[in-house]
């Protein structure tokens, strides 16, 4: 049975799936009996207790019926199929969950690196702000700014100031190249580029709508 190596499945569940598969494909016939726990323990190279736990799972789904001293009776091939489908769905969900967690971890690492680079850019720009109009400058929104609650499009920020918004720092999140429908909210810090006089105009506009 092929398994996603990132999803660790207990051995007894693997054995239950294998037995269900053998029933579903007709290797074990309905109405027939398969070996006792000791024989199966030898076949799967596990303890009888592991086999017992696997059989309990199959009994709960009415795939088999175990009788003390009489082996294991195959009850339903149909239920074996259902058992396999049910567990494969659970495994798929587990696999997808692991993938999401892994991607989120990578996303957080990437965002952290971006934040560090932006901090360096801002630091350099403060030192060189009079020499290069393409250095970004971070401007915090004041609590009473008329921009709060407006979208970038509605604010006509570029039309009014000539400055270009390249990002917004929102708490620990950095939003790069925000779209025109993004709303400004309280405590946003806006990253803009432009010549020194343009930057000053942007700072004034963030406070005073009429400039």
């Amino acid at each position: 049975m092929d398994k996603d190596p990132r999803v660790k499945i207990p051995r007894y569940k693997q054995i239950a799936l294998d037995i269900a598969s053998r029933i579903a494909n007709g290797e074990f016939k309905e109405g027939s009996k398969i070996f006792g726990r000791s024989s199966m323990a030898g076949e799967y190279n596990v303890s009888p207790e592991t086999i017992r736990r696997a059989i309990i799972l199959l009994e709960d789904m009415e795939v088999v019926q175990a009788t003390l001293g009489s082996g294991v009776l195959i009850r339903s091939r149909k239920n074996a199929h259902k058992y396999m489908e049910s567990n494969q769905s659970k495994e798929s969900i587990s696999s997808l969950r692991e993938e999401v967690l892994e991607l989120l971890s990578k996303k957080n690492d990437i965002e952290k690196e971006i934040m560090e680079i932006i901090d360096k850019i801002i630091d350099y720009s403060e030192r060189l702000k009079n020499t290069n109009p393409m250095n970004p400058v971070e401007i915090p929104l004041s609590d009473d700014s008329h921009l709060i609650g407006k979208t970038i499009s509605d604010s006509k920020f570029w039309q009014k100031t000539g400055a270009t918004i390249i990002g917004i720092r929102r708490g620990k999140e950095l939003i790069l190249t925000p779209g025109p429908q993004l709303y400004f909210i309280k405590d946003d810090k806006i990253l803009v580029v432009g010549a020194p006089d343009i930057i000053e105009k942007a700072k004034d506009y963030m406070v005073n709508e009429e400039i």
Side-chain angles (χ1 to χ4, degrees):
M1 296 178 289
D2 295 332
K3 301 294 177 187
D4 188 328
R6 291 168 297 182
V7 183
K8 187 173 181 180
I9 303 172
R11 182 63 175 145
Y12 72 95
K13 288 187 177 182
Q14 294 182 27
I15 292 171
L17 277 169
D18 189 62
I19 294 172
S21 174
R22 295 168 77 176
I23 294 170
N25 66 28
E27 181 180 343
F28 297 148
K29 307 292 185 183
E30 284 187 11
S32 66
K33 288 186 178 180
I34 54 178
F35 344 99
R37 292 178 196 164
S38 296
S39 298
M40 284 191 284
E43 179 182 358
Y44 287 103
N45 196 27
V46 295
S47 69
E49 174 60 18
T50 300
I51 296 298
R52 185 187 71 82
R53 296 178 70 184
I55 295 300
I56 287 174
L57 292 178
L58 296 173
E59 281 190 299
D60 289 343
M61 289 289 289
E62 298 182 349
V63 178
V64 303
Q65 180 180 343
T67 305
L68 186 63
S70 301
V72 178
L73 175 68
I74 309 302
R75 293 185 59 183
S76 172
R77 184 177 181 181
K78 180 180 179 181
N79 288 345
H81 278 289
K82 288 182 179 178
Y83 179 82
M84 291 177 64
E85 291 172 0
S86 171
N87 279 273
Q88 285 168 353
S89 296
K90 291 175 183 176
E91 289 172 35
S92 296
I93 292 171
S94 296
S95 175
L96 291 172
R97 185 180 293 114
E98 290 292 328
E99 289 184 24
V100 168
L101 291 175
E102 184 178 343
L103 289 172
L104 285 174
S105 176
K106 290 180 180 178
K107 174 179 176 289
N108 291 335
D109 290 341
I110 291 170
E111 287 184 346
K112 183 180 177 181
E113 289 183 25
I114 292 173
M115 292 283 279
E116 290 174 353
I117 293 171
I118 290 293
D119 284 338
K120 288 180 182 179
I121 292 172
I122 291 170
D123 181 55
Y124 293 151
S125 69
E126 286 300 314
R127 301 179 198 176
L128 306 171
K129 60 184 176 182
N130 293 320
T131 62
N132 189 345
M134 293 311 293
N135 286 322
V137 176
E138 184 176 277
I139 309 174
L141 277 181
S142 61
D143 291 348
D144 58 351
S145 174
H146 64 92
L147 296 181
I148 295 175
K150 292 182 180 179
T151 66
I152 292 177
S153 175
D154 291 339
S155 74
K156 300 187 183 301
F157 193 90
W158 181 81
Q159 294 91 329
K160 291 281 189 177
T161 69
T164 300
I165 297 174
I166 64 167
I168 292 179
R169 193 191 298 272
R170 182 167 290 171
K172 294 182 179 180
E173 181 183 10
L174 178 63
I175 305 169
L176 294 175
T177 58
Q181 299 308 312
L182 186 136
Y183 283 87
F184 293 109
I185 66 173
K186 184 180 176 183
D187 297 325
D188 274 350
K189 294 179 176 63
I190 303 174
L191 294 171
V192 298
V193 292
D197 60 323
I198 294 293
I199 296 299
E200 291 304 315
K201 192 172 183 180
K203 289 178 180 179
D204 291 341
Y205 181 62
M206 289 166 69
V207 176
N208 181 14
E209 188 171 4
E210 301 297 330
I211 58 171

